[in-house]
Amino acid sequence: MDFSIDANHGHVPVMRDRMGDLLRPAAEKFGDGAVIVDGTLGAGGHTECFLNEFPVATVIGIDRDVAALEQATRRLEAFGDRFVPVQGRFDCLADELESRAHPAFERVRETGLAGAFFDLGVSSMQLDQEERGFAYRVDAPLDMRMDPSGGMTAAEVLNTYSHGDLARVLKTYGDERFAGKIASAVVAEREKEPFDRSGRLVDLLYSVIPAATRRTGGHPAKRTFQALRVEVNRELEALANVIPMVADALGPGGRAVFMSYQSHEDKLVKRAFAELTESKTPPGLPTELPDMAPKFRLVTRGAEQASEAEIELNRRAASVRVRAVEKLGEGPDGS
């Protein structure tokens, strides 16, 4: 496998080759009509791989970040009309597929999607833009919006949420053991002066989280920043919305692949996939009842992880969990 860094774009997509392998059977089955959705376009690295690997396929790339979408579109301009950019949160998918007047969308309405791919969480590009406030190792405005054109910022969450809501966000989305203590400290500090920059929040976290935990639990701000980012961007809401959209949109033989980096994301995908692949026939009956058989099958056994070789060269791959399903039934080629 080629894990080399892309000299033009600064990073290599996580498990790039494996993602191509997972989608290849669907792309080949759909042939000339294959349309793949990349719901988390980012810098466009995975989409570039799909367009190279599947030379007759079209990729619809969705990103809520206008700057990311523009940069990826420039990167992929050599592929012409085989790449279709869409600006929006990825759970705009159903509306786009239903209403967009474009040959790729018309093909999806006829035969279904060949593939859907989601690389969840914050992109490397966004982390590298210090002014966006995603990174806790630099002092920057507490923004964290993936679409900076609207919506609540991380600073507004810190300055307006009640103690209970702050603690809930930190515990639920960050698995933060000291959620209650951190929420109390935030409420006390914001009465003196509202939060507006990440450095002050990091200093607060250093003072609240015990030294013993700081020595063994990684950077003390990691979980809080993760939780705020998930809340600001409504990431779990979008994920819960998009999975049934994808299930409906896939054609027979089509595949959906999700890459998760946090336990709350992976658990949501795992539960949704378990429901999609579960038989609804009451236990004990000798055969499946009509319309009760599962409509999907698992492609991955459990959650796949990156190899040690990739993790060594690409640290972002260390926490990734990959799950994939395939829609059952005859595909476009009758198989």
Side-chain angles (χ1 to χ4, degrees), residues 4 16 52 61 95 110 131 151 157 160 164 204 258 277 293 333:
S4 60
R16 177 186 58 193
N52 280 320
D95 288 341
E110 292 173 5
E131 71 278 7
V157 171
T160 64
L204 178 146
F258 286 81
T277 57
D333 62 356

Side-chain angles (χ1 to χ4, degrees), residues 20-40:
D21 291 342
L22 286 171
L23 288 175
R24 182 171 291 105
E28 291 177 349
K29 177 172 283 192
F30 280 70
D32 290 348
V35 178
I36 296 167
V37 163
D38 181 346
T40 49

Side-chain angles (χ1 to χ4, degrees), residues 26 43 71 73 103 114 273:
Q71 181 174 328
T73 300
F273 280 10

Side-chain angles (χ1 to χ4, degrees), residues 186-207:
V186 167
V187 170
E189 280 297 310
R190 76 189 187 192
E191 291 180 0
K192 304 174 187 176
E193 182 182 352
F195 284 88
D196 63 351
R197 297 189 67 85
S198 59
R200 182 173 169 221
L201 177 59
V202 171
D203 289 343
L204 178 146
L205 294 168
Y206 267 104
S207 69

Side-chain angles (χ1 to χ4, degrees), residues 4-235:
S4 60
I5 300 298
D6 185 328
N8 295 319
H9 300 94
H11 71 283
V12 65
V14 173
M15 295 179 72
R16 177 186 58 193
D17 297 334
R18 179 56 178 153
M19 297 308 100
D21 291 342
L22 286 171
L23 288 175
R24 182 171 291 105
E28 291 177 349
K29 177 172 283 192
F30 280 70
D32 290 348
V35 178
I36 296 167
V37 163
D38 181 346
T40 49
L41 180 65
H46 283 107
T47 283
E48 184 175 50
C49 170
F50 302 150
L51 290 167
N52 280 320
E53 289 288 314
F54 316 131
V56 295
T58 298
V59 176
I60 298 168
I62 304 174
D63 205 292
R64 66 174 81 180
D65 187 328
V66 174
L69 192 69
E70 290 175 350
Q71 181 174 328
T73 300
R74 289 193 297 270
R75 174 181 187 171
L76 301 168
E77 63 184 357
F79 295 99
D81 60 6
R82 292 180 54 220
F83 171 67
V84 184
V86 173
Q87 196 273 322
R89 199 171 78 167
F90 54 62
D91 58 349
C92 72
L93 177 63
D95 288 341
E96 292 289 333
L97 291 179
E98 181 179 347
S99 62
R100 184 70 73 97
H102 184 281
F105 293 83
E106 291 167 3
R107 287 204 300 275
V108 174
R109 290 193 284 270
E110 292 173 5
T111 63
L113 283 171
F117 170 77
F118 297 84
D119 184 7
L120 303 172
V122 66
S123 73
S124 300
M125 179 192 307
Q126 289 163 333
L127 287 173
D128 290 342
Q129 295 172 332
E130 295 179 359
E131 71 278 7
R132 303 289 291 277
F134 289 105
Y136 44 77
R137 297 186 185 276
V138 294
D139 184 30
L142 278 165
D143 193 315
M144 299 194 193
R145 293 172 297 173
M146 292 180 182
D147 177 1
S149 66
M152 181 174 282
T153 67
E156 290 174 298
V157 171
L158 291 169
N159 293 326
T160 64
Y161 276 29
S162 68
H163 175 278
D165 283 341
L166 278 174
R168 172 188 56 79
V169 167
L170 298 177
K171 180 65 177 176
T172 304
Y173 301 150
D175 295 322
E176 176 54 69
R177 290 169 52 199
F178 303 101
K181 291 181 65 175
I182 293 170
S184 295
V186 167
V187 170
E189 280 297 310
R190 76 189 187 192
E191 291 180 0
K192 304 174 187 176
E193 182 182 352
F195 284 88
D196 63 351
R197 297 189 67 85
S198 59
R200 182 173 169 221
L201 177 59
V202 171
D203 289 343
L204 178 146
L205 294 168
Y206 267 104
S207 69
V208 171
I209 296 174
T213 300
R214 297 202 307 267
R215 287 194 293 269
T216 59
H219 196 288
K222 179 179 180 180
R223 295 179 185 277
T224 293
F225 273 61
Q226 171 189 305
L228 288 172
R229 190 203 79 223
V230 171
E231 175 69 8
V232 164
N233 295 290
R234 298 292 193 264
E235 293 177 32

Side-chain angles (χ1 to χ4, degrees), residues 232-247:
V232 164
N233 295 290
R234 298 292 193 264
E235 293 177 32
L236 292 193
E237 173 188 286
L239 180 57
N241 288 344
V242 83
I243 294 175
M245 293 179 187
V246 167

